[in-house]
Amino acid sequence: MNLATKEVTQVEMMKIIALFRKEGFKGEYEDFQRVSGTDREFFVVMSNEQGIKALFRASLMLNAVQFQYVLDDKHTFVQEDADAS
């Protein structure tokens, strides 16, 4: 199975959320997606109280969260089509 198409498990989501909280991030977790080619790094979309969404890269291997960019008209988050094979 291709790692990029493998769904993020509940256990992985909990570890990612714990990592974000440890780093002091607050907000709503909108989406989780595995980074292509790895099983320990993820893209996470979060939104704040004002509804501003941002993309982060979370690494369970490095125990690190990196801000990527704010999602707006110029920057979007492409979700994998669940029906695509």
Side-chain angles (χ1 to χ4, degrees):
M1 172 182 267
N2 184 354
L3 288 176
T5 59
K6 184 179 167 192
E7 292 215 15
V8 179
T9 66
Q10 290 287 344
V11 171
E12 289 170 326
M13 286 183 198
M14 296 301 289
K15 289 179 181 178
I16 293 165
I17 291 169
L19 181 59
F20 271 82
R21 288 184 178 162
K22 183 181 109 185
E23 296 289 326
F25 289 97
K26 294 181 182 176
E28 296 291 322
Y29 301 91
E30 301 275 331
D31 197 8
F32 297 85
Q33 190 177 91
R34 196 174 301 280
V35 172
S36 180
T38 178
D39 64 344
R40 305 280 295 156
E41 291 190 356
F42 306 87
F43 287 121
V44 180
V45 176
M46 285 187 67
S47 64
N48 65 10
E49 303 85 32
Q50 293 82 24
I52 299 171
K53 294 182 182 183
L55 179 69
F56 294 87
R57 185 174 182 146
S59 173
L60 295 179
M61 186 171 42
L62 301 174
N63 286 326
V65 174
Q66 294 178 319
F67 170 78
Q68 300 295 296
Y69 51 81
V70 172
L71 298 173
D72 56 18
D73 293 339
K74 295 180 183 176
H75 300 93
T76 59
F77 183 66
V78 178
Q79 295 183 341
E80 308 257 339
D81 185 2
D83 297 329
S85 299

